[in-house]
Amino acid sequence: METEIMKKKSEQLALEALDQLKIELPSWGFANTGTRFGKFTQPSAATSIQEKLADAAFVHQLTGSCPTVAVHVAWDFTPGGDNAQYVSDSAAELGVSIGSINPTLFEEQKYKYGSLGNPDAEIRKAAQDHIIDSIKIARKIGSRDIVLWFADGSNYPGSANIRKRKAWFEEGLRRCASSLTSSERLLIEYKPFEPAFYHTDIADWGMSCLLARKCGPGAKVLVDTGHHYNSQNIEQIVAWLLSEGMLGGFHFNDRKYADDDLTLGSIDPYQMFRIINEIFSFGWENGEMPDIGYMIDQSHNLKNKLEAAVQTVEMAQQLWAKAALVDRNQLASCQENCDVVKAEECLRQAFFTDVTPLVNEWRRNHNLPDNPLEALRESGYLERITDERAERNQPPKSSYV
Ligand code: RM4
Ligand code: MN
Ligand code: MN
């Protein structure tokens, strides 16, 4: 009897937790993207920011967890961000809003040897100005987070002055951070390699954290789950950043080898669960969940982009519900008593619980389809966008060589 009541109580908590889960979809996840060896175009891929927003809004309608869309400045705004208000209004009409603003600091020829870490002061200044312009765009349309990812680095030993570049990053980021208001945040991503293959200027969470600290309270670290070496303990990084008050947000995706940008949980759902578990653990100990941005950063070359997005959100909802089911009191006492097996079982039991009925109950409570993927396939939306966009999605003429 008592266990029945406890079970009901934890299910109730999980349902409430699902209400809190908000995941941001990336605009670029709906467009045709590829690998360096080629692009396999999909006739239904979005070809404009309006189409990206429409797709994201439809995923939100189906899943109920994605009210915001991340944008990349160079890909989604006209130069200078003149259309930002229009883009933001279009999002609102579709029932979503613009979330994080991602300055694009890696495509233009001038960034060949870096952006904020470029030896040329003029190029460093141009990169800073682009970030500051992006902050202004964010302010204009009421976005809180500006997410910085840098491709900066070098390919050969000796070819770059690592300490000088670090100093340029400090100087540049500080200048950018000084233009933030107290309600805006700079989130600094890290990545160990690619496109740079010898050294990357912001290669790991420690480097992001040091730089963010030098920028004042508005700068935090963003953990992209694909940006780690194999077998790195990401949940420990998350736990440390939480305890330091330095975790600003996530880019969720899964990977097998490198920055593969695969669907969340497609390779290792238990790792993703362990990461979310650290967040719930922190929330339980502190009486409230940390203020973190949950964003998706994936690109799909083979899967239909909307289907992949729906799969991703479903996976996030499931893992979120599982982490909410962990018996925190029991786990704490097992840890206290060094009961290794029972402590581990606390996690395993929650992870292996079939939460489908629970998530379905949550969906029904919110008038959402029980099976969003099926609902997507039956909606006719994919056929419609294929007809509308096929003409504009011709395979690219250029090749790798
Ligand atoms: C990078 C990184 C960034 C994203 C770009 C498109 O690998 O993850 O977050 O802005 O890809
Ligand atoms: Mn990312
Ligand atoms: Mn990435």
Side-chain angles (χ1 to χ4, degrees), residues 73-91:
V73 174
W75 300 336
D76 296 323
F77 292 131
T78 46
D82 300 337
N83 66 340
Q85 194 56 54
Y86 175 70
V87 169
S88 163
D89 294 343
S90 325

Side-chain angles (χ1 to χ4, degrees), residues 149 189 191 224 227 253 259 261 297:
W149 174 69
E189 239 181 296
K191 176 169 171 172
D224 182 315
H227 293 190
N253 50 60
D259 188 22
D261 285 338
D297 184 5

Side-chain angles (χ1 to χ4, degrees), residues 145-330:
D145 293 334
I146 295 87
V147 174
L148 299 175
W149 174 69
F150 300 94
D152 290 54
S154 66
N155 277 359
Y156 294 96
S159 64
N161 185 320
I162 295 174
R163 277 179 297 108
K164 265 195 187 159
R165 291 175 71 103
K166 171 175 173 281
W168 290 328
F169 261 90
E170 286 174 16
E171 185 187 282
L173 285 171
R174 270 206 185 118
R175 177 169 168 241
C176 297
S178 71
S179 69
L180 294 171
T181 64
S182 60
S183 59
E184 293 156 356
R185 310 191 305 169
L186 271 190
L187 304 185
I188 306 174
E189 239 181 296
Y190 56 91
K191 176 169 171 172
F193 69 94
E194 198 208 16
F197 290 119
Y198 166 62
H199 107 282
T200 295
D201 285 299
I202 309 183
D204 66 27
W205 70 275
M207 297 180 199
S208 281
C209 192
L210 279 174
L211 288 170
R213 279 257 158 85
K214 295 194 182 194
C215 289
K220 304 275 178 221
V221 178
L222 183 134
V223 175
D224 182 315
T225 46
H227 293 190
H228 300 90
Y229 292 114
N230 282 326
S231 85
Q232 213 168 338
N233 188 331
I234 305 175
E235 60 269 29
Q236 182 181 6
I237 295 172
V238 168
W240 273 58
L241 288 172
L242 280 168
S243 107
E244 290 289 320
M246 290 304 287
L247 180 60
F250 283 98
H251 273 177
F252 284 150
N253 50 60
D254 209 343
R255 53 75 70 84
K256 175 84 179 125
Y257 299 105
D259 188 22
D260 309 336
D261 285 338
L262 300 179
T263 317
L264 183 74
S266 57
I267 303 290
D268 188 354
Y270 193 42
Q271 177 178 69
M272 206 46 236
F273 166 81
R274 297 192 306 266
I275 291 171
I276 299 175
N277 173 58
E278 285 303 328
I279 299 165
F280 274 84
S281 161
F282 180 90
W284 183 75
E285 280 169 28
N286 290 277
E288 63 174 338
M289 289 291 267
D291 182 11
I292 304 173
Y294 302 100
M295 311 159 202
I296 301 294
D297 184 5
Q298 295 174 178
S299 69
H300 302 282
N301 305 316
L302 304 179
K303 284 179 173 177
N304 174 275
K305 291 155 202 304
L306 276 101
E307 288 183 354
V310 168
Q311 277 189 313
T312 302
V313 181
E314 277 207 74
M315 177 57 74
Q317 290 169 332
Q318 296 233 353
L319 295 173
W320 194 262
K322 284 170 193 270
L325 289 179
V326 172
D327 186 336
R328 299 279 152 205
N329 284 306
Q330 192 177 55

Side-chain angles (χ1 to χ4, degrees), residues 33-40 155 193-195 197 258-259 299 301 396 398-401:
T33 48
T35 71
R36 65 193 162 122
F37 298 105
K39 244 189 201 184
F40 298 108
N155 277 359
F193 69 94
E194 198 208 16
F197 290 119
D259 188 22
S299 69
N301 305 316
S398 64
S399 72
Y400 178 51
V401 180

